[in-house]
Amino acid sequence: MKKNIVLIGFMGCGKTTAGKQLATELGYSFADTDQMIEHNAQKTISEIFAAHGEEYFRNLETETIKEMMKSMEHTVVSTGGGLPLREVNADILKENGFVVYLRVKGSTVEERLKGDTTRPLLQGDSVSEKIQNLLEYRDPIYEFGAHMVLDVDEKSVDEIVEDISRNFKLLCERNNEKNNRD
Ligand code: S3P
């Protein structure tokens, strides 16, 4: 098993905040697919959506994750909320790290992202419905793509980091024991 942790989940679930803290605590590097895409394109996600559309952005996500995962070790990766929806991306994530789904309720997302202008999929009217519809569709896909599911609504960042870290260390120990036996 490659020693990476991949955080997946809906917009506003806290992937980046938890990911950065987790990386610091484990002494790992931190990477963020959205930041990488923005850096490579020299445009914000909103500008990419506006200029080229969602499909173009989704292709960038696939290219980015393929490239990132080639040489990655000892890294915590935060992924864009829609990235694991493509099967090819979800497969790459699972092959290259311990994938954790940070599951969040629609009401929490709404609360956290009130007034946010950086997420093109949640602009305009009927934001609650948009969140609910997307969440309903995505939840089983996230769950299927993950090694571990964590309900984060009531948890502090410290608790989230602690839960992931404990499970990841256990998994690493088990893998080491298995390798020593083989
Ligand atoms: C998206 C989530 C965003 C970003 C883009 C699309 C999605 O990332 O990739 O706006 O489809 O859920 P965050 O999950 O970091 O907000």
Side-chain angles (χ1 to χ4, degrees), residues 11 15 34 45 49 57-58 61 80-82 119-121 138:
M11 294 168 264
K15 291 164 292 197
D34 281 341
I45 304 289
F49 266 72
F57 172 73
R58 298 299 173 200
E61 285 190 314
R119 280 141 174 123
L121 296 183
R138 290 179 174 191

Side-chain angles (χ1 to χ4, degrees), residues 101-114:
Y101 168 25
L102 304 184
R103 182 160 55 196
V104 74
K105 291 188 186 126
S107 51
T108 307
V109 174
E110 219 181 313
E111 171 94 16
R112 289 186 187 171
L113 298 186
K114 210 175 276 168

Side-chain angles (χ1 to χ4, degrees), residues 113-139:
L113 298 186
K114 210 175 276 168
D116 176 87
T117 56
T118 65
R119 280 141 174 123
L121 296 183
L122 301 182
Q123 301 310 303
D125 298 331
S126 319
V127 174
S128 320
E129 285 78 27
K130 284 179 186 162
I131 292 172
Q132 276 315 330
N133 291 339
L134 281 172
L135 258 181
E136 243 167 70
Y137 171 72
R138 290 179 174 191
D139 177 63

Side-chain angles (χ1 to χ4, degrees), residues 41-74:
Q42 288 297 301
K43 285 192 180 93
T44 64
I45 304 289
S46 299
E47 286 166 348
I48 298 172
F49 266 72
H52 307 286
E54 182 172 351
E55 190 62 18
Y56 179 88
F57 172 73
R58 298 299 173 200
N59 291 335
L60 291 183
E61 285 190 314
T62 301
E63 271 173 36
T64 303
I65 203 74
K66 278 188 180 162
E67 200 50 43
M68 268 171 99
M69 291 293 183
K70 269 187 196 160
S71 56
M72 222 174 68
E73 272 285 1
H74 302 114

